[in-house]
Protein backbone atom coordinates (compact mmCIF):
# COMPACT_ATOMS: atom_id res chain seq x y z
CA UNK A 1 0.00 0.00 0.00
CA UNK A 2 1.35 3.40 -0.92
CA UNK A 3 2.27 5.70 1.92
CA UNK A 4 -0.82 7.57 3.08
CA UNK A 5 -3.11 5.41 0.94
CA UNK A 6 -6.43 4.33 2.40
CA UNK A 7 -6.69 0.62 3.31
CA UNK A 8 -9.08 -1.13 0.92
CA UNK A 9 -11.45 -2.02 3.77
CA UNK A 10 -12.05 1.68 4.41
CA UNK A 11 -12.91 2.34 0.75
CA UNK A 12 -16.49 2.32 -0.58
CA UNK A 13 -17.76 -1.19 -1.35
CA UNK A 14 -18.28 -0.27 -5.01
CA UNK A 15 -14.53 0.28 -5.42
CA UNK A 16 -13.46 -3.17 -4.19
CA UNK A 17 -12.24 -5.84 -6.56
CA UNK A 18 -13.35 -9.47 -6.15
CA UNK A 19 -10.40 -10.42 -3.93
CA UNK A 20 -10.90 -7.42 -1.66
CA UNK A 21 -14.61 -8.16 -1.44
CA UNK A 22 -13.95 -11.72 -0.29
CA UNK A 23 -11.24 -10.54 2.13
CA UNK A 24 -13.73 -8.21 3.82
CA UNK A 25 -15.53 -11.18 5.40
CA UNK A 26 -14.66 -11.37 9.10
CA UNK A 27 -15.19 -15.14 9.29
CA UNK A 28 -17.87 -15.01 12.00
CA UNK A 29 -20.09 -17.60 10.29
CA UNK A 30 -23.32 -15.89 11.36
CA UNK A 31 -24.61 -15.60 7.82
CA UNK A 32 -24.47 -19.42 7.64
CA UNK A 33 -27.00 -19.87 10.44
CA UNK A 34 -30.53 -20.86 9.54
CA UNK A 35 -33.21 -18.23 9.95
CA UNK A 36 -36.97 -18.47 10.22
CA UNK A 37 -39.33 -15.93 8.72
CA UNK A 38 -42.75 -15.08 10.11
CA UNK A 39 -45.01 -15.39 7.07
CA UNK A 40 -47.38 -12.71 8.33
CA UNK A 41 -44.96 -10.03 9.48
CA UNK A 42 -41.89 -10.89 7.41
CA UNK A 43 -39.78 -10.66 10.57
CA UNK A 44 -36.62 -12.78 10.52
CA UNK A 45 -35.74 -14.89 13.57
CA UNK A 46 -32.18 -16.18 13.89
CA UNK A 47 -31.41 -19.66 15.15
CA UNK A 48 -28.27 -21.30 16.50
CA UNK A 49 -28.42 -23.96 13.78
CA UNK A 50 -25.59 -23.90 11.27
CA UNK A 51 -25.52 -25.02 7.67
CA UNK A 52 -24.20 -28.55 7.33
CA UNK A 53 -21.08 -27.26 5.56
CA UNK A 54 -20.09 -24.90 8.36
CA UNK A 55 -17.29 -26.10 10.63
CA UNK A 56 -18.51 -25.27 14.14
CA UNK A 57 -14.98 -25.04 15.54
CA UNK A 58 -13.58 -22.62 12.95
CA UNK A 59 -16.72 -20.90 11.58
CA UNK A 60 -15.45 -21.62 8.07
CA UNK A 61 -17.30 -23.28 5.21
CA UNK A 62 -16.11 -26.81 4.55
CA UNK A 63 -16.37 -26.37 0.77
CA UNK A 64 -16.76 -22.66 0.09
CA UNK A 65 -15.79 -22.85 -3.57
CA UNK A 66 -18.39 -25.55 -4.34
CA UNK A 67 -20.94 -24.78 -1.61
CA UNK A 68 -23.82 -24.23 -4.02
CA UNK A 69 -23.44 -27.81 -5.30
CA UNK A 70 -24.16 -29.05 -1.77
CA UNK A 71 -26.50 -26.26 -0.62
CA UNK A 72 -28.31 -24.91 -3.70
CA UNK A 73 -30.02 -22.10 -1.79
CA UNK A 74 -26.76 -20.83 -0.26
CA UNK A 75 -26.72 -17.08 -0.70
CA UNK A 76 -23.92 -15.42 -2.60
CA UNK A 77 -23.47 -12.06 -0.91
CA UNK A 78 -22.97 -9.28 -3.44
CA UNK A 79 -22.71 -5.51 -3.28
CA UNK A 80 -26.19 -5.24 -4.75
CA UNK A 81 -27.72 -7.45 -2.04
CA UNK A 82 -26.07 -5.98 1.08
CA UNK A 83 -28.59 -3.17 1.59
CA UNK A 84 -31.56 -5.53 1.22
CA UNK A 85 -30.43 -8.21 3.68
CA UNK A 86 -31.82 -6.90 6.94
CA UNK A 87 -30.82 -10.10 8.72
CA UNK A 88 -27.09 -9.50 8.26
CA UNK A 89 -25.53 -9.23 11.71
CA UNK A 90 -24.94 -5.74 13.09
CA UNK A 91 -21.23 -6.60 13.21
CA UNK A 92 -21.02 -7.86 9.61
CA UNK A 93 -18.18 -6.12 7.78
CA UNK A 94 -20.24 -5.88 4.60
CA UNK A 95 -23.12 -4.25 6.44
CA UNK A 96 -20.85 -1.91 8.40
CA UNK A 97 -19.00 -0.73 5.30
CA UNK A 98 -22.25 -0.35 3.32
CA UNK A 99 -23.43 1.95 6.12
CA UNK A 100 -20.15 3.88 6.04
CA UNK A 101 -19.05 2.53 9.43
CA UNK A 102 -15.54 1.33 10.30
CA UNK A 103 -14.65 -2.30 10.95
CA UNK A 104 -14.56 -3.37 14.60
CA UNK A 105 -11.20 -3.65 16.36
CA UNK A 106 -11.44 -7.46 16.42
CA UNK A 107 -11.73 -7.71 12.62
CA UNK A 108 -8.64 -9.48 11.30
CA UNK A 109 -7.97 -6.75 8.74
CA UNK A 110 -7.70 -4.25 11.60
CA UNK A 111 -5.88 -6.36 14.21
CA UNK A 112 -4.08 -8.91 12.02
CA UNK A 113 -5.46 -11.93 13.90
CA UNK A 114 -8.04 -14.21 12.26
CA UNK A 115 -8.95 -15.76 15.63
CA UNK A 116 -9.81 -12.43 17.28
CA UNK A 117 -13.39 -12.73 16.01
CA UNK A 118 -13.77 -15.94 18.04
CA UNK A 119 -12.08 -14.66 21.20
CA UNK A 120 -14.28 -11.56 21.14
CA UNK A 121 -17.41 -13.75 21.12
CA UNK A 122 -18.52 -12.41 17.74
CA UNK A 123 -18.50 -15.72 15.86
CA UNK A 124 -20.67 -18.84 15.89
CA UNK A 125 -17.98 -20.85 17.68
CA UNK A 126 -19.15 -22.30 20.97
CA UNK A 127 -22.92 -21.70 20.80
CA UNK A 128 -24.21 -23.35 17.64
CA UNK A 129 -25.29 -26.82 16.52
CA UNK A 130 -25.21 -28.48 13.13
CA UNK A 131 -28.39 -28.92 11.13
CA UNK A 132 -27.81 -32.68 11.04
CA UNK A 133 -28.51 -32.98 14.79
CA UNK A 134 -30.66 -29.94 15.52
CA UNK A 135 -34.17 -31.18 14.87
CA UNK A 136 -36.93 -28.57 14.37
CA UNK A 137 -35.53 -25.05 13.86
CA UNK A 138 -38.34 -23.63 16.01
CA UNK A 139 -36.57 -25.20 19.01
CA UNK A 140 -33.39 -23.22 18.29
CA UNK A 141 -34.44 -19.59 18.16
CA UNK A 142 -31.79 -17.35 19.71
CA UNK A 143 -32.47 -14.46 21.98
CA UNK A 144 -29.02 -12.94 21.60
CA UNK A 145 -28.40 -10.40 18.92
CA UNK A 146 -26.47 -11.94 16.08
Amino acid sequence: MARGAQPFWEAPLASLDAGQWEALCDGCGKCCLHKLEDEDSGRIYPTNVACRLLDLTTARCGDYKHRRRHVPDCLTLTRAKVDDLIWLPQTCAYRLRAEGEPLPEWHYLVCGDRDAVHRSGESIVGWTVGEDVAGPLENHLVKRVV
Side-chain angles (χ1 to χ4, degrees):
M1 177 169 25
R3 187 177 197 154
Q6 177 184 46
F8 77 84
W9 58 89
E10 293 178 0
L13 290 181
S15 70
L16 303 184
D17 64 30
Q20 291 169 332
W21 175 262
E22 287 293 320
L24 196 56
C25 176
D26 58 37
C28 74
K30 292 176 185 175
C31 60
C32 299
L33 296 179
H34 290 282
K35 296 132 194 86
L36 294 175
E37 181 178 2
D38 183 301
E39 291 180 15
D40 296 326
S41 69
R43 182 174 175 192
I44 304 293
Y45 294 91
T47 73
N48 71 332
V49 179
C51 167
R52 69 179 177 271
L53 292 180
L54 193 64
D55 183 320
L56 302 183
T57 61
T58 65
R60 307 301 286 179
C61 182
D63 192 4
Y64 184 75
K65 185 175 182 180
H66 304 109
R67 67 193 184 280
R68 299 217 25 158
R69 286 186 197 160
H70 307 286
V71 183
D73 61 346
C74 180
L75 177 73
T76 299
L77 187 59
T78 65
R79 291 174 197 94
K81 294 177 184 174
V82 170
D83 290 333
D84 296 330
L85 299 174
I86 60 170
W87 53 262
L88 283 175
Q90 297 294 320
T91 58
C92 176
Y94 297 106
R95 180 182 191 146
L96 289 170
R97 293 306 304 133
E99 295 172 352
E101 298 294 327
L103 298 181
E105 62 186 38
W106 48 259
H107 194 289
Y108 82 95
L109 290 171
V110 175
C111 72
D113 179 1
R114 282 219 178 251
D115 290 327
V117 64
H118 309 306
R119 285 193 308 279
S120 68
E122 294 297 341
S123 78
I124 60 92
V125 173
W127 61 275
T128 55
V129 297
E131 67 183 22
D132 297 340
V133 298
L137 292 178
E138 294 81 9
N139 295 338
H140 292 276
L141 298 176
V142 295
K143 293 179 174 54
R144 68 187 269 176
V145 175
V146 295

